[in-house]
Structure formats: structure tokens, C-alpha cells
Amino acid sequence: MDFKVADLSLADFGRKEIRLAEHEMPGLMAMRKEYAASQPLRGAKIMGSLHMTIQTAVLIETLVALGAEVRWVSCNIFSTQDHAAAAVVVGPHGTQEDPKGVPVFAWKGETLEEYWWCTEQALTWPGGDAPNMILDDGGDATLLVHKGAEYEKAGAVPPAGADDPEEWHVIIDLLTRTVGEDKRWTGIAESIKGVTEETTTGVHRLYEMHKNGQLLFPAINVNDSVTKSKFDNKYGCRHSVIDGLNRATDVLIGGKVAVVCGYGDVGKGCADALRGQGARVIVTEIDPICALQAAMDGFQVTTLEEVVGIADIFVTTTGNFNIITAAHMAQMKHQAIVSNIGHFDNEIDMAGLAKLPGIVKNNIKPQVDEWVFADGHSIIVLAEGRLMNLGCATGHPSFVMSNSFTNQVIAQIELFTKTAEYPTGVYTLPKHLDEKVARLHLDALGVKLTELTKEQASYIGVHVEGPYKSDHYRY
Ligand code: NAI
């Protein structure tokens, strides 16, 4: 078996944590039980690009339990938990000497070249075969296949421009090396039945590609299942934003001024958590609806420029770019903490920061850097501007990820087994499946659901067994 992880000897530790996580992931374990006999993913060759954590290990082993062959990478250079990666490679029945699990190409602290090399490895099946499904988080695997196929069809890869980001140079180098190689990328694109996408940012990319007529295969937008974005993005970040801050800095949050940029699902979770720790939270928004929500939730809403010099902690949650610029950072208080929890690192202008005259970077520990300005004052930047909850801590806890990943499993089954029902386009899962995911998580929390009477159901115009809301209901 081919694989590349940091240290296989961590597998036992990883296995112990996987065992504990399984108990906290009732949705995934219910999927294993429901589909043990029918094996709906038999024949599926799933390439996964999603943070290689303990929770993801339970997802991977669920896909395998449903019959799939799987190859995996992390979707971020800092987010891999090396013990989880090792345990997945060894597998529940293998040993370090004789691994019997799933090929994983991921370790904490990859370079950009290594990151894209790993993505290429996971998209390459042994014997020259191609995957037929992608499970993506942020859309990097989907992007690589689309760019490769586009350039292969055009017969050449354009050179990267001098001003292109470093990441783009790396992708262009990889494609220059591989495009045209035995129809490498067009072959993969043709064999993919569909992709299921985990996050807001990846979903934006998919809708854009579809709008521009570039999408090559159908996609299920897992993010916009209610049991994903209204839970993982909100309650997951409510937990892991504090974990990231604590593990990175251990600074007391109570009494501090914290600025949360963006009041979408992630922003709502972060603002709530910071307030819970006793911080005075200030929100920035561009959308009047979200700004009004933040105001009515009791937060001051203003522009970053107004408060950049008085805040102690900054968290960007927008999925947009250039939210905190180098000029903003130069105006911040001494030892202000700057962090991003959105999917990509471009929310904070790290390249601009590095170019400021006289700036010096002091590494404090992995994923924590002090940047000292020419005038002697400094700021603390977490995870080099990459998502701090996975860079500095261990991401969301198992229970909330069970909701997200049960949606992923259902979406993989939908696209793989009902391919003809999904012409190229971007879909969300039907409401009854969303409700099913929630239902699978109630018992573990001791929730007792009230049952509608027939008369009540007909009075509000629904079936006794659901769905209970129309598609436009917003929760
Ligand atoms: P969302 O679309 O619900 O919220 C983003 C908010 O930012 C919107 O309300 C938008 O109006 C606002 N915004 C956009 N530009 C802004 C600007 N210049 N200044 C202030 N506000 C601005 O998206 P969601 O679901 O909250 O996701 C946000 C990001 O977090 C995405 O990149 C997503 O992929 C990522 N994400 C990260 C997770 C993690 O564990 N780190 C988990 C889930 C999502």
C-alpha cells in the first residue's frame, strides 16, 4: 500500500481516540449499521480531501464499511492530526509492519509543494486507475481536476504570472509536469460521477463554475444541509475558536475586546463563544441583515477601521479576502492576536505584512508567530493566517462532525447510486434526509421529540413523519 504520513508508530494512540470518537458520532455509526448488508458504496473509488483528523478517520472508515475504496489527503497544510493519519493507514485490523487500512497522504506542517503533491497522489489510483467520486472540503481536489482537464484540452498550461500567489505557481508547476500524460486529468474528470462539498467556500467555487459553464460533473452542496452549516459552522466554531486561542496563546479572554469580522454561521458561533468567555465582542459586517442580527444579539457593530487600535483579539470569519490588511495590522495594539477561522488564508494579508519595511517575524512555537514592527511593537498571528481552530487546535469535536459527515455519507450514496438523477449541476440534499441526520443525533442527547397528531399535521400542512418545514424555511 502506498501512503505518506508523519509517523506510523502513532497509530495505537490514534486508534484509541478513534474508538472514543465513534461513541460520539452516532450518525456515522448508524450509517454503518443501516448499510452493512447492502454495501451501497461497493465499486466507489472515493478521493477525499478533508482535514485528516480523528473525526475524519471515523468518516473514512464508515465509507470503507459501506464498500468504498478510499484515498485521502488533508485540505490544509496544518490541519492533519498525525496520530489519526497513522491509525487510518494501519487500519483497525493491520499492524505498523503490515498496514491494512486506507492510503493517506497527509502530515501536519506540509509545504505547499507537498500539499499539492499529496492531492495528486490521492487522485491517482494504483494501476493507472482513476477515482470515480470526490469528497472535497474547500474545493482544492475539484479545482485541480478541473484545471488539469481544462489545460489538457487546450493542449498547454499557461505560465504563472509574476504577481500570482505562491500557491498558484505550485499548481501550475504540478500541472506542467503532468498535463497530457496519458490523458491524465481529462481521464480523471471523465471518470468522476460527482463530488460532495463540505464547506461554504468550496460551495461558492462550485456555483461559480456551474454559472460559467465550467463544471464537469454533478456536485452535492453538503454545507447547506441545515444539519451541517447551522451546526458545524456555528456550534463547531463556538467550541473550537476558543480552543484555538487557548492552545496558541493561553491569553485570558475575559475583559478583552474581541473583533469578529463577519456574522454568518461561523461568525455567530465565534462571537457567542468569545462573549461566553467574558470578552467585549465587536462585529463587522457588509450585509445589513447580518449586521442587524448582530446588533439585536447585543453586539456593537462597526467598521474594522473604527476599532483596529483598541481590540485585543481579531478573528476573521468571512470566506472573503483582504479583510485584515497589513495597514490594519500595523495600527493594532501591542501583542494583539490576529487570527482567521475562514477556509482560506487570504482573509489576512500575510504577504503584505511580510513586506512591511523593518518587519521581523519571531516564531514562538509551531503555528504561533510574533511579528515585530519597525517601531518595536508587535502582534501575534496564529497559524500563519490559516484556519486557526485546525491549525492551533484540533478543530470541531466529534459530535458536531457526526452531523456534517453523516450528510457527506448520504450525499456520496446519492451521487454514486443515483448518478442518472443528478445531471451536472449543484444540488442540496432533500429535507427528509436533513431531518434524518438530526434524528440520528437526538437519542445521544436524551432529546424527547413531540409527535404530531394527524389533525395537527394536516392543520399545518405536513406529514406526521415529516418533512416539517418548506425548503425556504431558514431555521
Ligand atoms: P457565511 O456566508 O454564512 O458568513 C460569512 C459572512 O461574512 C457573511 O455574513 C458576509 O456578509 C460576511 N462578510 C463578507 N465580506 C465581509 C467583509 N469584508 N467584512 C465583514 N463581513 C464580511 O459563511 P460561513 O458559513 O460563516 O463560513 C465562513 C468561512 O468559514 C468560509 O470560508 C467557510 O468555508 C469557513 N468555515 C470554516 C470552518 C472551520 O472549522 N474553520 C467551519 C465552517 C466553515
Side-chain angles (χ1 to χ4, degrees), residues 199-201 228 232-233 237 261-267 284-287 290 317-320 323 341-343 387 389-390 396:
T199 199
T200 317
T201 287
K228 199 285 179 178
D232 167 324
N233 303 24
C237 288
C261 300
Y263 200 68
D265 292 320
V266 171
T284 75
E285 251 298 344
I286 48 108
D287 178 336
C290 297
T317 77
T318 69
N320 202 344
I323 302 303
I341 198 167
H343 190 81
L387 71 191
N389 59 334
L390 282 139
H396 298 350

